[in-house]
Amino acid sequence: MKLDILNIENYKCLKDIDSIKFNELTTIIGENDSGKTSIIDFLELMLTKNIPNEYDYGNYPECELNNNIEGIIEFVLSENEIKSLSNYLSSNKKLIIKKIFNKDGSYQMQVKTVVYKDKRLYEYKSMKSKELSDLLGEYNLPDKSNKDDKCKVIKEYLENNEVETEEDWKTVNFNDLKDYLPTVIRYGANDYTNPESLLYKMMKLKFNEILYEKDAVGKKVLKNETLQRIINDIESEINQISQDLLPVAKKINPNIQKIKLESDIDLSNGLKSTPLTIIERGSTPHNLNNFGEGTKKRMCMSIMEWEGNLADDNDNIIKIYDEPDNNLHIEAQRKLFKTIKNSCEKNGQAIICTHSPFIMDVSPIESIRLAQRNDFGITTIDYIKDNNDEDIKSFMKNMCRELGVPNSHIFLEKCFFIVEGESEMNFFPIVYKYLYNSTLLEDGISLINLEGNGAALNFLKLLINNKEDRIVLVVDNDSTHINNRTVMSKLKNVLEQEQADRFYKNNIIYLGNNEFEDCFSNEYISHVLNESKYKKNEGKLWSEDDINNCRESDKFSDKIKDMVNKYITENGAPENGKDYITKPILGKLLADYIQPEHIPMDIKNVINRIRTVAGIEDK
């Protein structure tokens, strides 16, 4: 049984969370108090008999009254589970459970399943004889004089005929399903530094595996039949004893008609503690609590790795790791993530709630869920959408390798500043730092070069589908003369017309008459060359006319490069030509000697735009 989808209404900051999708490994990220822990708290409510407390009911500004808490959880089942739970399944063979929690401490549990459209067909046994006769007449069934015979006719009709049905919610008892539902094991901040707490949870899981097994239909049952009979006898006797309460209760409250006690005996709770004693070389035994924090952390890592080998194959476990990166260095986080990932392959599903950029970056990007709280304190969930585009799906799996863009940047950066050349890549970071005494990275601006990258098209499609309002794409003005080889041309062919028109209008800035270097004056470019190691020999200078002559070419930057390198060759180029100028070097030089009065208006417009998109207000 695999957790697939969770919906949440009115729980703490989770006002209306629709369809959180869960994978084998799901990583939930977000700032402090963004709702990450509330999501896993709610998951436990859905899978146990726990109930919310009075402070868990959402109190939202636009609501006059607090609503009930409601959750819907969906599971994908194995073939055996589908057979054993056939009376509880939806039309698409999923187990879909709804819980409604009331403020008086009660709750209702329902499953979405195929039911008779005529609800009387569930109630006929309690109907009066006249009502039964009317029901039989409506279905053209023979009437009988005896009520039991009337019920028998309806029962046989239901068994032997197709009756009109619909998909609807049907009330069920939690105990009817609890032995099929996944076991939740939750590791919190205390567990990662407390080996005995961690060991207790591991051993409780193993203790449970020793006591219980799944039967042929996927239900959890005791392995020992004698123990099972004893438990059944105990439950029966307790239920019988509980009936003695009814007459006493009716004296105090005459409205009470019936009392039903649902006893729940689980032997796995018999394991109470697992203290750990360590004997080091040449030492006497000591309880682990007497050792230092370093020893405890290393033991925790050992226990988690050992647990992966200890547990039997069991795909009906959900392990929740709440901030496992807490106080762990990168190498420890790396080992921890591998342990969690390997555990998923053998023992059910895992959910990680984390602040760690490292864990974000090594998690599959399609499994990451970003929790964010808006100005009203209400949480929303964001994730990367692939729009069922196979090219994007394939790209997502290789994003870091292709473009060097980590998952944490995709989710958390405020602006994606995209350029098409090494000159721009070298120029903008230097000028930005010069102007604001802050780096692009520090201000949440991710600079990405698409030039010559085969993944560029899919990366742009991914960003446009998910982060369109955060993109600034800077291209040479000659991109307006689109040919079939450019990313711009290909992008226009794969976007819907409305989306393409909007993106080209709002997200693209064109630079220069033809290219980036066109923006700079002849005076400034000649000044840069004369101040650099590419100056002429014997006090000679590059003139503004030299630069202006280069503008006659469609590729201004190439002409400058050729002019300078020709001079170097004719005047004795250094060995291996390592000091020849290149376009990336020219881009860096244009930034190295910049002064405010030298910055072209086109460049200022680009920088202002990326700061606006990033939400940075200039003081």
Side-chain angles (χ1 to χ4, degrees):
M1 185 176 294
K2 296 292 185 183
L3 170 61
D4 188 29
I5 293 172
L6 178 64
N7 297 280
I8 309 170
E9 286 188 18
N10 304 321
Y11 179 71
K12 297 183 179 179
C13 59
L14 309 173
K15 181 178 184 295
D16 185 15
I17 301 297
D18 183 39
S19 299
I20 305 177
K21 176 77 175 174
F22 290 87
N23 300 55
E24 294 290 326
L25 171 66
T26 303
T27 302
I28 303 176
I29 64 174
E31 297 179 358
N32 289 327
D33 298 322
S34 61
K36 302 189 302 296
T37 300
S38 296
I39 292 170
I40 57 180
D41 287 343
F42 191 78
L43 179 60
E44 284 194 293
L45 285 179
M46 293 296 292
L47 295 177
T48 65
K49 284 189 172 181
N50 296 346
I51 59 173
N53 63 49
E54 60 179 307
Y55 303 106
D56 291 336
Y57 290 82
N59 185 11
Y60 310 111
E62 69 274 24
C63 298
E64 294 182 7
L65 297 174
N66 292 339
N67 297 320
N68 293 330
I69 293 171
E70 183 173 312
I72 298 175
I73 191 167
E74 300 184 20
F75 296 96
V76 176
L77 309 182
S78 68
E79 289 186 11
N80 281 342
E81 289 167 336
I82 289 173
K83 292 177 183 177
S84 59
L85 293 168
S86 58
N87 292 331
Y88 300 96
L89 303 186
S90 64
S91 57
N92 60 351
K93 307 301 181 186
K94 294 177 72 174
L95 176 62
I96 304 176
I97 297 172
K98 179 195 288 186
K99 274 190 175 181
I100 302 171
F101 299 94
N102 307 305
K103 293 181 183 176
D104 60 6
S106 64
Y107 73 88
Q108 296 85 47
M109 180 167 165
Q110 301 172 326
V111 294
K112 195 168 193 178
T113 187
V114 178
V115 297
Y116 298 133
K117 210 164 187 178
D118 187 345
K119 300 302 185 289
R120 294 176 299 171
L121 297 177
Y122 292 107
E123 304 163 355
Y124 68 90
K125 291 182 180 178
S126 61
M127 293 169 67
K128 295 178 180 179
S129 182
K130 174 65 169 61
E131 294 171 327
L132 283 171
S133 295
D134 293 341
L135 183 61
L136 289 167
E138 287 183 34
Y139 283 87
N140 296 318
L141 298 174
D143 198 358
K144 303 289 182 181
S145 58
N146 182 279
K147 180 180 177 180
D148 289 341
D149 290 338
K150 295 176 191 283
C151 290
K152 185 177 180 182
V153 171
I154 296 175
K155 181 175 181 292
E156 290 176 351
Y157 173 77
L158 294 176
E159 290 174 350
N160 299 309
N161 294 272
E162 288 190 8
V163 181
E164 190 175 7
T165 59
E166 63 182 358
E167 195 167 57
D168 200 359
W169 294 103
K170 182 172 82 172
T171 300
V172 295
N173 191 303
F174 180 79
N175 282 350
D176 295 338
L177 292 173
K178 70 179 181 65
D179 290 331
Y180 295 95
L181 297 177
T183 301
V184 176
I185 304 173
R186 183 169 176 177
Y187 305 110
N190 178 58
D191 295 313
Y192 309 123
T193 56
N194 185 343
E196 288 191 354
S197 171
L198 193 60
L199 184 62
Y200 169 71
K201 292 184 178 181
M202 304 291 188
M203 295 310 298
K204 186 174 180 181
L205 175 61
K206 189 62 183 177
F207 186 70
N208 188 63
E209 289 176 351
I210 294 170
L211 283 172
Y212 294 92
E213 64 182 355
K214 279 187 177 182
D215 63 14
V217 295
K219 184 178 181 181
K220 187 178 80 171
V221 295
L222 279 165
K223 293 180 181 179
N224 188 300
E225 294 181 2
T226 303
L227 270 179
Q228 186 63 62
R229 283 197 297 271
I230 294 172
I231 295 297
N232 292 341
D233 290 343
I234 292 173
E235 289 180 342
S236 177
E237 189 166 344
I238 288 175
N239 290 335
Q240 184 61 44
I241 292 171
S242 71
Q243 297 310 305
D244 297 337
L245 175 61
L246 180 59
V248 179
K250 290 184 74 169
K251 287 181 181 178
I252 299 173
N253 185 353
N255 292 324
I256 295 176
Q257 296 297 311
K258 187 177 180 181
I259 287 178
K260 183 179 181 183
L261 176 65
E262 297 176 4
S263 56
D264 185 8
I265 302 173
D266 189 344
L267 296 183
S268 62
N269 291 321
L271 184 66
K272 294 301 180 184
S273 65
T274 51
L276 192 60
T277 299
I278 302 293
I279 304 174
E280 292 189 321
R281 192 180 306 140
S283 176
T284 57
H286 289 282
N287 187 281
L288 184 60
N289 285 329
N290 296 326
F291 287 83
E293 291 302 312
T295 299
K296 290 179 181 178
K297 286 182 181 178
R298 288 192 292 272
M299 181 56 69
C300 283
M301 296 298 297
S302 301
I303 291 171
M304 294 190 77
E305 186 170 348
W306 167 65
E307 184 269 343
N309 300 321
L310 175 71
D312 294 336
D313 289 349
N314 186 347
D315 63 355
N316 213 26
I317 299 174
I318 300 173
K319 295 178 184 176
I320 299 173
Y321 301 86
D322 196 0
E323 298 189 16
D325 50 281
N326 193 25
N327 295 322
L328 290 181
H329 57 79
I330 290 296
E331 185 58 31
Q333 290 184 41
R334 181 177 287 112
K335 291 180 179 177
L336 174 64
F337 183 80
K338 285 183 178 179
T339 298
I340 295 172
K341 184 179 178 183
N342 292 338
S343 176
C344 288
E345 295 173 358
K346 185 177 182 181
N347 302 117
Q349 294 170 270
I351 301 169
I352 304 175
C353 293
T354 184
H355 293 289
S356 165
F358 172 80
I359 292 182
M360 293 182 210
D361 293 341
V362 295
S363 297
I365 192 170
E366 66 272 14
S367 73
I368 297 176
R369 308 290 175 260
L370 172 62
Q372 304 174 95
R373 290 183 78 171
N374 61 24
D375 294 339
F376 299 103
I378 295 171
T379 294
T380 59
I381 303 297
D382 192 17
Y383 61 96
I384 297 298
K385 306 166 190 68
D386 57 39
N387 288 1
N388 288 321
D389 187 315
E390 293 302 323
D391 290 335
I392 294 181
K393 288 180 180 180
S394 175
F395 170 72
M396 284 168 62
K397 295 180 181 178
N398 302 298
M399 181 183 298
C400 292
R401 178 171 60 83
E402 291 280 359
L403 278 173
V405 182
N407 295 342
S408 52
H409 283 206
I410 293 295
F411 278 95
L412 304 178
E413 291 297 68
K414 299 175 181 178
C415 175
F416 297 94
F417 179 25
I418 304 174
V419 297
E420 285 191 298
E422 289 293 338
S423 298
E424 294 92 326
M425 285 293 291
N426 286 349
F427 175 83
F428 280 104
I430 297 172
V431 172
Y432 191 91
K433 178 70 181 295
Y434 167 75
L435 289 173
Y436 301 105
N437 195 30
S438 177
T439 67
L440 292 167
L441 190 61
E442 289 170 344
D443 286 346
I445 300 168
S446 184
L447 179 60
I448 301 164
N449 181 19
L450 295 185
E451 184 180 46
N453 196 297
L457 182 63
N458 289 326
F459 179 66
L460 274 176
K461 284 199 295 183
L462 177 73
L463 279 184
I464 292 169
N465 287 336
N466 292 275
K467 307 285 182 179
E468 183 176 342
D469 60 338
R470 298 189 185 185
I471 303 171
V472 176
L473 174 58
V474 173
V475 298
D476 295 337
N477 223 334
D478 62 2
S479 292
T480 56
H481 308 298
I482 294 173
N483 60 63
N484 291 332
R485 293 180 309 223
T486 64
V487 170
M488 297 278 288
S489 175
K490 293 177 182 176
L491 181 64
K492 201 161 190 174
N493 292 333
V494 298
L495 296 178
E496 294 182 2
Q497 186 63 48
E498 181 180 345
Q499 187 180 39
D501 291 343
R502 183 177 64 245
F503 183 76
Y504 275 65
K505 177 182 178 181
N506 299 329
N507 299 79
I508 296 177
I509 298 179
Y510 298 99
L511 281 181
N513 294 324
N514 288 298
E515 56 179 337
F516 161 74
E517 290 81 1
D518 288 339
C519 297
F520 299 90
S521 68
N522 296 337
E523 177 187 6
Y524 179 62
I525 296 175
S526 60
H527 168 73
V528 166
L529 292 177
N530 289 327
E531 291 294 322
S532 73
K533 65 180 180 179
Y534 297 100
K535 62 187 177 182
K536 290 184 177 181
N537 298 331
E538 301 172 356
K540 295 179 181 179
L541 297 175
W542 295 103
S543 69
E544 292 182 35
D545 286 340
D546 291 331
I547 307 304
N548 192 54
N549 290 335
C550 294
R551 291 189 188 273
E552 296 175 2
S553 169
D554 289 340
K555 275 297 182 180
F556 177 48
S557 60
D558 286 341
K559 195 69 173 178
I560 293 175
K561 181 185 67 172
D562 293 342
M563 177 186 71
V564 173
N565 289 339
K566 180 181 179 182
Y567 178 85
I568 292 172
T569 300
E570 291 174 349
N571 290 271
E575 195 175 89
N576 297 326
K578 61 183 177 182
D579 277 343
Y580 283 121
I581 197 169
T582 63
K583 286 188 66 172
I585 291 175
L586 179 58
K588 183 177 184 303
L589 290 176
L590 290 172
D592 284 340
Y593 296 96
I594 205 77
Q595 294 293 323
E597 64 270 18
H598 296 144
I599 302 175
M601 184 56 66
D602 283 359
I603 301 296
K604 290 180 181 178
N605 290 339
V606 169
I607 293 175
N608 290 337
R609 180 70 167 276
I610 62 176
R611 286 175 65 82
T612 300
V613 169
I616 302 170
E617 296 183 3
D618 293 324
K619 297 180 180 179

